[in-house]
Amino acid sequence: METEALRLLAAVADTGSFTRAAARLNYTQSAVSRRIAALEQRAGGALFERLPRGVRLTPAGRLLHQHALDVLDRLARAERELAALHGGQGGVLHVGAFATANISLLPAALRALGAARPEVEPVVVEVPSAGLMERLADGALDLAVVSDYPYGLPTAEGVVTSVLREDELLVALPRGHRLAGSGPVDLRALGDEAWVQHAYGDRPTPLADAWARVGGAPRKIIRIAEWSGKFGYVAAGLGVALVPSLAARAVPADIVLRPLTDPALRRTIHTARPAVPLPAARELEELLRSVRNG
């Protein structure tokens, strides 16, 4: 049933007259009569009793009238929400990020967005960068924070990327470690340490790249996947770990982060969004830059 026919049904029921409904909606009386007759044919029976003065709903008409009001109300709400969404004043904003970007970078920007645009409802997913680019290309995300490591910056048709910040790799040491109070640490000075790392040798990792640059290899790998577990092992003095600067806010107080002497040990963080972004996505992108500069 066409929306405009339901709108006519509601107007006739409200005014009690084909003529008054026609005047309200800028139709001719004969056009309203034809549209209502067609609607009655679709509905399988009369929707109005024709009276000497006006019309009134039949039982079938009352049933369809209630559904018509529900449909028209939902459509009106959808129009308002779409206008708010495209105007940057409200609606759902689908955002994605890789794991360490969700520690402080994206949450800080979302907090600022919530203060400025409380009507916007962010929905966040955590996916590796390649998966985020695929979701952007499919239209499932409005903005994402992605990294160029380890396979280079992914690309996707219709997706625009922009450099957000550099993410330096730091070494996490227990507070009592002999190098905890020093300045930048040479990786080779940690040659006798065990390294807490999820994977090594079977895929590209920052740790493997770092050791390849100095022509060495870790003495021992303790395979721990989650950051909380890695920090637990380092704090207990069982090993050391490489930590991106994005994760620094999550490091417990009994761990010290130190820079490495090799300035090339870093990755680049980018924002990624559709070529024509929602206003709220563009605003969040700018807030991410403010977090970077803050």
Side-chain angles (χ1 to χ4, degrees):
M1 296 180 182
E2 295 178 357
T3 303
E4 191 58 26
L6 297 180
R7 203 180 308 278
L8 282 171
L9 172 70
V12 172
D14 187 42
T15 62
S17 164
F18 287 177
T19 302
R20 287 191 290 271
R24 174 184 290 185
L25 297 179
N26 198 28
Y27 276 84
T28 64
Q29 192 273 341
S30 59
V32 172
S33 297
R34 288 195 303 271
R35 295 294 294 272
I36 293 298
L39 184 60
E40 289 178 321
Q41 187 175 6
R42 293 289 304 276
L47 300 173
F48 291 98
E49 294 180 47
R50 274 68 171 176
L51 305 173
R53 294 186 178 180
V55 296
R56 68 183 177 193
L57 290 165
T58 65
R62 288 194 295 272
L63 175 65
L64 184 57
H65 178 245
Q66 186 56 58
H67 284 293
L69 293 179
D70 290 342
V71 169
L72 294 171
D73 178 65
R74 289 178 69 97
L75 287 173
R77 288 204 329 251
E79 289 175 358
R80 291 194 299 269
E81 289 174 9
L82 282 169
L85 180 70
H86 291 299
Q89 301 301 315
V92 175
L93 183 68
H94 295 275
V95 185
F98 58 90
T100 49
N102 277 324
I103 290 176
S104 63
L105 176 64
L106 183 57
L110 287 173
R111 179 178 59 191
L113 181 68
R117 296 282 183 264
E119 302 86 359
V120 175
E121 180 185 352
V123 176
V124 182
V125 296
E126 183 176 292
V127 181
S129 294
L132 292 170
M133 295 295 281
E134 290 174 2
R135 294 191 183 204
L136 280 162
D138 291 341
L141 288 178
D142 301 309
L143 182 73
V145 181
V146 298
S147 166
D148 64 352
Y149 189 88
Y151 303 109
L153 183 65
T155 59
E157 185 176 356
V159 177
V160 175
T161 61
S162 179
V163 173
L164 184 62
R165 61 174 286 173
E166 295 292 311
D167 190 24
E168 182 183 7
L169 290 177
L170 308 171
V171 62
L173 306 169
R175 188 163 289 279
H177 193 278
R178 58 187 172 81
L179 297 176
S182 67
V185 175
D186 189 317
L187 193 66
R188 287 166 291 198
L190 299 169
D192 293 333
E193 302 284 351
W195 287 82
V196 186
Q197 170 78 25
H198 175 39
Y200 192 87
D202 55 347
R203 71 186 76 168
T205 62
L207 184 61
D209 286 352
W211 276 105
R213 288 178 63 83
V214 298
R219 177 183 65 83
K220 177 183 178 182
I221 297 293
I222 301 175
R223 293 181 179 267
I224 303 294
E226 298 297 330
W227 284 107
S228 56
K230 292 177 182 178
F231 295 150
Y233 273 73
V234 173
L238 299 175
V240 298
L242 283 186
V243 176
S245 61
L246 281 181
R249 288 283 296 275
V251 174
D254 46 4
I255 290 178
V256 173
L257 295 179
R258 287 289 173 262
L260 291 162
T261 53
D262 186 349
L265 295 177
R266 60 186 62 235
R267 60 184 177 178
T268 305
I269 310 304
H270 304 251
T271 58
R273 57 168 175 77
V276 182
L278 291 174
R282 190 183 295 276
E283 185 166 355
L284 180 59
E285 186 175 29
E286 291 307 311
L287 289 169
L288 283 163
R289 299 188 187 285
S290 299
V291 172
R292 176 198 66 179
N293 294 327

